[in-house]
Amino acid sequence: MENIATKVKITKASSSKLSSVDFSNLTFGKVFTDHMMVCDYKDGSWQTPEIVPYGPLQMYPSAKVFHYGQAVFEGMKAYKDDEDKVWLFRPEQNFERINKSSKRLAIPEFPKGHFFNGLEELLKLDKEWIQKGFGNSMYLRPFVIATEPGVSASTSSEYKFMILCSPAQSYYSGEVRVKVSEDYSRAADGGVGFAKAAGNYGAQFFPTDIANSEGYQQIIWTDANTHEYLEEAGTMNLFFRIGDKLVTAPISDRILDGVTRKSIIDLAKDANIDVEIRRIKVAELIEAANAGELKEIFGSGTATVVTPILGFGYKGEKYELPKIEDSYAKSFKDQLLKIQYNQAEDKFGWRYEVK
Amino acid sequence: MENIATKVKITKASSSKLSSVDFSNLTFGKVFTDHMMVCDYKDGSWQTPEIVPYGPLQMYPSAKVFHYGQAVFEGMKAYKDDEDKVWLFRPEQNFERINKSSKRLAIPEFPKGHFFNGLEELLKLDKEWIQKGFGNSMYLRPFVIATEPGVSASTSSEYKFMILCSPAQSYYSGEVRVKVSEDYSRAADGGVGFAKAAGNYGAQFFPTDIANSEGYQQIIWTDANTHEYLEEAGTMNLFFRIGDKLVTAPISDRILDGVTRKSIIDLAKDANIDVEIRRIKVAELIEAANAGELKEIFGSGTATVVTPILGFGYKGEKYELPKIEDSYAKSFKDQLLKIQYNQAEDKFGWRYEVK
Ligand SMILES: Cc1ncc(COP(=O)(O)O)c(C=O)c1O
Ligand SMILES: Cc1ncc(COP(=O)(O)O)c(C=O)c1O
């Protein structure tokens, strides 16, 4: 990234919590590093980004975020290579996407210099928290919340942009089976499904809890109009391997434009795999499953990179996928991890060093 | 309401801000009374409700409400009659609805005793803040937010239920014209539109800001699938008077079951007005407007009770409604206000005294 002249005000924590953390036993998103970035929007502009010790906020109970969910977020990761260099993966994609989300939620866009300088200063300060080794990373959570006190249902005039850092192993563990949604929906045409809007996620918890109780770890959302087309999962885009073809739903105003998804599409094309970006019917999936043509389903997302899906349920029927030798999921995951951890050539220019 | 044995712990403010408030010049939702109610959910149950001085909360920036919009709210009002008695309007409806909303957002339901005893103690304490006179009221904002710190996208294990009180004149002022939505949507089938989920509101700000810039105060949402059917406005249900018939859209999983709406339906039936609860097409509205049959449009909601709508826009065309003598909107508003302020017989048993 160009060096953009944004000053970041830094207030260091008086001591570090690092030594108290058991890195071999991390729950995702529960432990935070010593510092966080905060930047306020008021009087019509974003103020100076600050890095301060991680700790609670003081907020009025009338702050708009509590009442109207005017809030967006991002999810990114930092990786450390064997030489202690710190890397990000396509961070400009997350920067652009948070502003796309913000725009839809009527939140003022965040300046690029603030984003990158703030993020990099933060990572330099908390660098010791990033563990080496495949699977270890630092999950980064940029987000923006509406802070103006007042309970009238209208656009806030004040916001807080923040970045939190949380050391992570892999997000999911165990086997993943998914339920194809038959009645609940995630997003409407003309709605906010393409944005990482806070409200999109809370709305999924109840149907997901039901799916969990039925033995599924996640839901595959279908289109709200007909429930005939497969869209995405709660925090992953989806790929279906039918024969040796790879099919994934097109981006729309209901589906998040995932960074991992677009990277996998590039890797697949590069490997001469036949990639079809098109709507895919539940009926086609089931037909392929019954014909023995459905070889793999996998999810793509920052948290787990690639998640193989072992089976799915639909209208009370359960479908199990075959065990497969030459798995696309495994191959894409390996390739992406190697790029992310600076262990392979980066022919697409996706790696970004923090220095 | 039955007297339910819930204890409420009260900590009084050391002084009152009441004398500093200019009641003739209130901005909606900006001024709050001396106290607020707070009740925490942890270890699997709702704790003792507390009334404390109104003031900021301490919350971790990783609290789930900031990231996943797991939050719901209600809107109610308290009214004072000429004898200084304080009244609520159908409060059990709001109690039931917040739990319906909570259920859909995977939030634990709130106990009835906690709700009513907390609310009533709060109103008794801040009774002086309720001004007499038509149009004056105390807006009440019960809400629940997910407070568990942690950025994994899953149901929170900790919550805060709160009630804020804000003295109010009437919510809207000035003339209201609405834009019929042609592309943006508020809610999906199988989604959370029927719930007062925080995220439903933030998602409307951007399209509403656009409508505002075009000279409309609000949007009439249409169904996400076809945009052919009229649904509701941002914070109001809608009624269309065609000839002397009153038409309103049926409640669905996309439309909020408004307390004012159902009260108006009862009043209309009681007055032998022909009420049709059915889907209504934009095309029908325009046909009626062109034929001179569209006599009124009005919104119904707690904030303004009834809002007459003077005109609407659709596909670049603007439609103005005729001035009308025997307005249904005015009649329903008068009847409702008189019931709310204890100035008329309450034949439906809607009034609820706080004592
Ligand atoms: C709804 C949704 N879809 C897909 C993804 C995957 O996107 P990415 O690959 O950019 O992490 C995410 C998570 O980030 C998500 O929240
Ligand atoms: C989306 C929506 N529709 C309708 C209403 C009107 O409902 P009620 O009459 O219960 O206030 C409200 C506001 O309360 C609302 O938020």
Side-chain angles (χ1 to χ4, degrees), chain A residues 159-228:
Chain A
Y159 300 88
K160 232 180 235 310
F161 177 102
M162 300 188 69
I163 303 177
L164 308 181
C165 304
S166 176
Q169 293 166 301
S170 62
Y171 195 148
Y172 300 106
S173 48
E175 306 196 326
V176 176
R177 287 180 178 77
V178 295
K179 180 180 173 178
V180 177
S181 184
E182 290 153 39
D183 34 30
Y184 288 109
S185 310
R186 183 185 169 276
D189 278 321
V192 298
F194 70 95
K196 277 183 90 84
N200 288 340
Y201 295 80
Q204 297 181 65
F205 293 168
F206 178 69
T208 304
D209 288 348
I210 296 175
N212 290 165
S213 74
E214 295 168 353
Y216 302 103
Q217 283 64 47
Q218 296 208 34
I219 289 177
I220 298 190
W221 296 103
T222 47
D223 70 298
N225 298 7
T226 66
H227 295 292
E228 282 181 19

Side-chain angles (χ1 to χ4, degrees), chain B residues 27-73:
Chain B
T27 304
F28 179 81
K30 271 289 181 191
V31 171
F32 295 91
T33 63
D34 293 323
H35 300 92
M36 60 188 189
M37 177 188 152
V38 193
C39 183
D40 287 324
Y41 181 93
K42 57 179 183 207
D43 305 327
S45 64
W46 289 103
Q47 310 295 307
T48 303
E50 296 195 30
I51 290 173
V52 297
Y54 178 83
L57 304 173
Q58 279 240 346
M59 278 183 62
Y60 275 98
S62 56
K64 296 213 180 194
V65 62
F66 296 133
H67 302 269
Y68 305 122
Q70 200 189 0
V72 299
F73 69 99

